[in-house]
């Protein structure tokens, strides 16, 4: 029995466990730790596919397990992070708004189900990948906690979080072309967009770090910029092809 062939599925299970830990810390209102476990889940999500390709250990079980884990780590976990964040601010007639982020979990599951059947997304993505959506949402709640009254007043005004949820949910099931950060080679011609993105995002993130912006804000900036970049690139391509 080759133990190594089970390594990708083991890593996928670590993704699932990390998502579960993110949920636990969300209910403790420890949004930094919750975000940290979503990031860890994303690392495991990358490593399981990388390991499967390296060991040629592909299986239908692994494919299904990966999607089930992603629903928890990148669908349910960010939804509950935003739920717990909003619950501290909503009351009266607005108390049910805190349930609105659960919509993200449903759309994440829908995206993953469609992704598994879509043969067009081998090189890039059509629609926002669920890890990017999860990291954007989770970092938003964590970042707000470090900037006191101003940030909390903006996000807890009964429309900002629902609007964010609608945008992220719509993007997950959209046909918006988005590049993947998976490098199959280091050739510029094959990775021009990826390298350009990194050449911008790395120095800007370093500057934000030097300005003592909290690390959760840097995570939010990276994934918000990823979304804006792809939307702008798609619009530019559309205008150039008119």
């Amino acid at each position: 029995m080759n133990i190594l062939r089970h390594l990708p599925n083991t890593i996928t299970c670590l993704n699932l466990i990390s998502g579960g830990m993110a949920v636990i810390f969300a209910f403790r209102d420890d949004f930094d730790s919750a975000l940290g476990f979503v990031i860890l889940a994303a690392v495991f999500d990358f490593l399981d596919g990388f390991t499967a390709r390296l060991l040629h250990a592909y299986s239908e079980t692994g494919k299904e397990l990966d999607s089930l884990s992603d629903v928890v780590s990148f669908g349910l976990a960010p939804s509950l992070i935003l739920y717990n964040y909003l619950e501290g601010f909503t009351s009266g007639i607005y108390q049910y708004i805190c349930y609105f982020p659960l919509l993200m979990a449903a759309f994440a599951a829908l995206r993953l189900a469609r992704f598994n059947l879509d043969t067009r997304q081998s090189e890039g993505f059509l629609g926002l990948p669920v890890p990017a959506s999860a990291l954007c949402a989770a970092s938003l709640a964590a970042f707000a906690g470090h900037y006191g009254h101003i940030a909390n007043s903006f996000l807890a005004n009964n429309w900002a979080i629902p609007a964010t949820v609608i945008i992220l949910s719509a993007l997950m099931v959209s046909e918006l072309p988005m590049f993947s950060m998976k490098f199959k080679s280091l050739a510029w011609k094959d990775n021009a967009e990826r390298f350009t993105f990194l050449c911008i995002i790395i120095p800007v993130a370093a500057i934000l770090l030097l300005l003592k912006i909290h690390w959760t804000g840097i995570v939010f900036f990276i994934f918000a910029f990823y979304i804006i970049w792809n939307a702008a690139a798609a619009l530019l391509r559309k205008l150039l092809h008119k």
Side-chain angles (χ1 to χ4, degrees):
M1 182 177 178
N2 187 355
I3 295 177
L4 286 179
R5 63 187 288 268
H6 297 288
L7 184 57
N9 288 351
T10 301
I11 295 173
T12 303
C13 289
L14 292 175
N15 167 7
L16 176 60
I17 292 170
S18 298
M21 291 297 294
V23 170
I24 290 170
F25 280 100
F27 277 96
R28 293 178 180 174
D29 291 336
D30 185 350
F31 301 123
D32 285 8
S33 296
L35 171 60
F37 276 106
V38 175
I39 293 173
L40 187 60
V43 172
F44 287 132
D45 186 49
F46 170 80
L47 289 177
D48 64 5
F50 176 79
T51 306
R53 289 189 295 272
L54 186 67
L55 300 175
H56 300 286
Y58 302 103
S59 69
E60 288 301 312
T61 299
K63 181 180 177 181
E64 299 302 325
L65 181 62
D66 183 66
S67 294
L68 291 170
S69 299
D70 286 355
V71 168
V72 174
S73 298
F74 309 125
L76 185 63
S79 294
L80 292 178
I81 289 171
L82 291 181
Y83 163 81
N84 281 279
Y85 176 80
L86 270 180
E87 190 184 35
F89 299 101
T90 53
S91 61
I93 193 171
Y94 297 110
Q95 63 182 307
Y96 301 107
I97 289 178
C98 62
Y99 295 101
F100 202 87
L102 293 174
L103 191 66
M104 280 184 62
F107 274 84
L110 178 59
R111 176 187 164 72
L112 288 163
R114 291 173 58 178
F115 178 81
N116 286 345
L117 301 174
D118 195 339
T119 58
R120 300 172 296 167
Q121 301 189 55
S122 57
E123 299 293 329
F125 299 112
L126 290 175
L128 182 63
V130 290
S133 172
L135 288 164
C136 189
S139 61
L140 180 62
F143 180 52
H146 293 276
Y147 287 85
H149 180 72
I150 295 175
N152 289 333
S153 296
F154 174 74
L155 292 178
N157 62 11
N158 300 317
W159 63 263
I161 293 293
T164 301
V165 168
I166 290 172
I167 291 169
L168 292 176
S169 297
L171 285 172
M172 279 192 282
V173 295
S174 72
E175 292 282 307
L176 178 68
M178 308 190 90
F179 67 86
S180 165
M181 288 305 296
K182 294 178 181 177
F183 289 82
K184 292 188 176 180
S185 74
L186 294 178
W188 173 267
K189 64 182 179 67
D190 297 328
N191 302 287
E193 189 171 19
R194 297 179 182 89
F195 282 132
T196 304
F197 179 80
L198 289 174
C199 286
I200 295 173
I201 206 73
I202 291 173
V204 173
I207 291 170
L208 292 175
L209 196 60
L210 290 172
L211 292 174
K212 297 184 179 180
I213 300 298
H214 195 267
W215 68 270
T216 55
I218 297 172
V219 173
F220 175 72
F221 166 74
I222 290 171
F223 288 96
F225 186 67
Y226 172 77
I227 294 170
I228 294 168
W229 174 287
N230 282 284
L235 179 60
L236 183 62
R237 284 192 293 266
K238 187 174 181 180
L239 291 174
L240 290 176
H241 284 86
K242 277 189 175 182

